[in-house]
Every structure is written in C-alpha cells, then in structure tokens.
C-alpha cells in the first residue's frame, strides 16, 4: 500500500448518511476527494471491480428522472461489488397514493444497506432517512442540496488545477432554483475558494449575500479573472411564471460564449452539471472547447459516488 493510500485508509468519515454538505469540514471533504481520486485512477484500469460492497444492497429511489445521476450511482455500486435495485417510482405504489413515510417503512423491511434518494421536495430525503435503519445518500432534494454533485465538481477542479484554495470560481445562471449552486458554494468555501455568483435579479434568491458568495448581476464583471466558470441549467420545470424574457435574450446576457469567457483567466476551465441547454446557458463551441471539463465531470461522478458509498459502507454494521 502506498503512503497516500495508507493515509486515506487511516482516516474516517464519521457519518451514517450524506444528506448535505453543510457541516462537513475540510478534513472530511478532502478524505472523500482523496478516496475518489484513487477510485478515478482505478476506473481507468481494466480490472475495475472491487468487493467493498460485496453482500450489500443499494436501492436507487428516484422520484425525479435523472439518467446521469442514477446510472452513475448504479455503476459506482456495481464496481464496488454491490447489488443494485432501481425503483421506478412512476409505476410504484407512490403513484397510487402511498406516502413517503409508507415507502420508507416498506423499503426498510427489505433490509437494504444504502438507499440513494432523489426527490422534488426539499427536506424529503432527510425525512426518509429518519424512518430507515440503513444509510441514505441525498441525490438531490428540490432546490436544497446535491452533495455528490458538489463533491464531483470539487474533484474535477482539483484534478484540473491541482488545488482549490485561493481559486476564484464564478457560478453563473439560475441560482434561485439550483441545489447545485447551494451545495457548491458551501463546499468550495469550506475548501478556501473565492466564490462568485452571477444571475439576473429574477434568478437570485432573496438576500443572496447570505449564500456566502460575491453577488453579481453583470456576468461580464463576474468572470473577470475567474479560474473556474461553472454554468447552471435554466430550470424551467421549477419556474412558475416568467423569470426571463426569452431564451435568446437570456443567452445574450448570461449565456457563456467565447467573448464572455475571454474575461476569465486564459487557463480558466468551464463546467456544467448537465444536462446542457446549448445555445441557452452555454454555446456549443464553448461546451466542446479544450477549456471545457464537462466530460471529466461525468467521469468524476462515478468516482465520487464510489468514494461516498465506500465511506458509508465502513460504518455499516457487520452482520
């Protein structure tokens, strides 16, 4: 075992669940990132399968569709040797009137080891976690939190830049409805980054300065000297009423093109959590440019979820 691997092995993640990045310290975050860094390297080898979750069962419980996140958790669990069950909520008893608590009680009776939950309501995942005996991972709850997305973004930045502390990260777009933005702001601040947010005033929450980031309504100014430009999807499914005049006007002022990107540092990297609306929040020429690490984010998603599942598995009772 290498010194780096021995260092990771000696550390511990003392949590039963991963519901939020709030409250995680830099040591705990870096523990997960180091574990994920090792998993990312292993995933590029031929022999990818390990036995950390052998004999363990993971349930993917997604009340919102998300092919990318669900398949990422499934692949992560299988590479660790676990058994995976994907629950299709659209054809389940939930559609027949079963409550979230009823669902939790039913699943708990099946004795899973880990449940990964995505839900459209903020706080729903935490409620479910209170009703089960296994570990729970929040795969996104409403506009609240998406902890593994923030971790994979941090890992992508760290591998591209070699560090996170001292970097200027500009998060641009639909801040109001974005759990990705909230989770990233908290996590990046904990790791010593300087975080900026940029959005039209209609897509900023009330008192946005409370988020812990510098607030801009001028994207050009927000990108000045940025090391990382993180674009967000315009989440029309969460919008009631009109938040932007038109997609064309939104792109003119807040879509990332090469002209705006030129305000950032020459070696700035471009990120997007996906799925992308090309021509709305990001130009195709930027999304496919050499400065883009969007594909790397997808790759790091599997590695980070492997790290989270491994960390939680260490705390599971030995049967």
């Amino acid at each position: 075992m290498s010194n780096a691997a021995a260092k990771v092995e000696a550390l511990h993640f003392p949590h039963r669940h991963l519901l939020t990045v709030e409250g995680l310290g830099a040591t705990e975050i870096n523990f997960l990132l180091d574990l994920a860094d090792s998993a990312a390297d292993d995933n590029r080898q031929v022999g990818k399968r390990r036995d950390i979750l052998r004999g363990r069962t993971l349930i993917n419980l997604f009340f919102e569709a998300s092919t990318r996140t669900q398949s990422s958790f499934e692949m992560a669990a299988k590479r660790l040797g676990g058994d995976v069950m994907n629950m299709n909520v659209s054809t389940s008893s939930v559609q027949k009137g079963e409550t979230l608590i009823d669902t939790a009680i039913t699943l708990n009776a099946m004795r899973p080891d880990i449940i990964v939950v995505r839900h459209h309501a903020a706080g729903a995942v935490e409620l479910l976690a209170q009703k089960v005996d296994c570990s729970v991972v929040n795969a996104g709850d409403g506009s609240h939190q998406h902890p593994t997305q923030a971790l994979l973004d941090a890992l992508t930045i760290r591998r591209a830049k070699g560090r996170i502390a001292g970097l200027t990260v500009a998060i641009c777009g639909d801040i109001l409805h974005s759990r990705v933005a909230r989770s990233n702001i908290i996590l990046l601040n904990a790791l010593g980054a300087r975080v900026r947010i940029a959005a039209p005033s209609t897509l900023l929450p009330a008192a946005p300065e409370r988020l812990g980031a510098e607030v801009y309504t001028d994207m050009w100014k927000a990108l000045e000297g940025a090391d990382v430009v993180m674009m967000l999807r315009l989440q029309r499914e969460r919008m009631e009423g009109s938040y932007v005049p038109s997609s064309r006007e939104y792109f003119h002022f807040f879509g990332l093109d090469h002209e705006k990107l030129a305000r950032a540092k020459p070696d700035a990297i471009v990120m997007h959590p996906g799925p992308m609306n090309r021509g709305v929040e990001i130009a195709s020429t930027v999304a496919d440019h050499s400065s883009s690490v969007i594909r790397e984010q997808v790759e790091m998603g599997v590695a980070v979820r492997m790290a989270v599942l491994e960390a939680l598995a260490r705390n599971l009772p030995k049967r």
Side-chain angles (χ1 to χ4, degrees), residues 299-312:
E299 180 185 1
M300 293 307 112
V302 177
V304 156
R305 281 146 190 156
M306 287 176 68
V308 168
L309 296 179
E310 178 177 347
L312 294 178

Side-chain angles (χ1 to χ4, degrees), residues 2 36 53 56 67 94 97 106 153-154 233 249 262 265 277 290:
S2 68
L53 291 183
R56 303 290 190 179
T67 302
V94 173
T106 300
D153 289 341
R233 183 173 64 88
E249 186 168 344
K265 289 184 179 177
N277 293 312
S290 59

Side-chain angles (χ1 to χ4, degrees), residues 257-280:
D257 52 24
H258 285 288
E259 192 175 3
K260 294 187 190 76
L261 183 59
R263 293 293 186 99
K265 289 184 179 177
D267 62 346
I269 59 173
V270 173
M271 308 179 74
H272 193 300
M276 291 183 288
N277 293 312
R278 291 172 182 259
V280 178

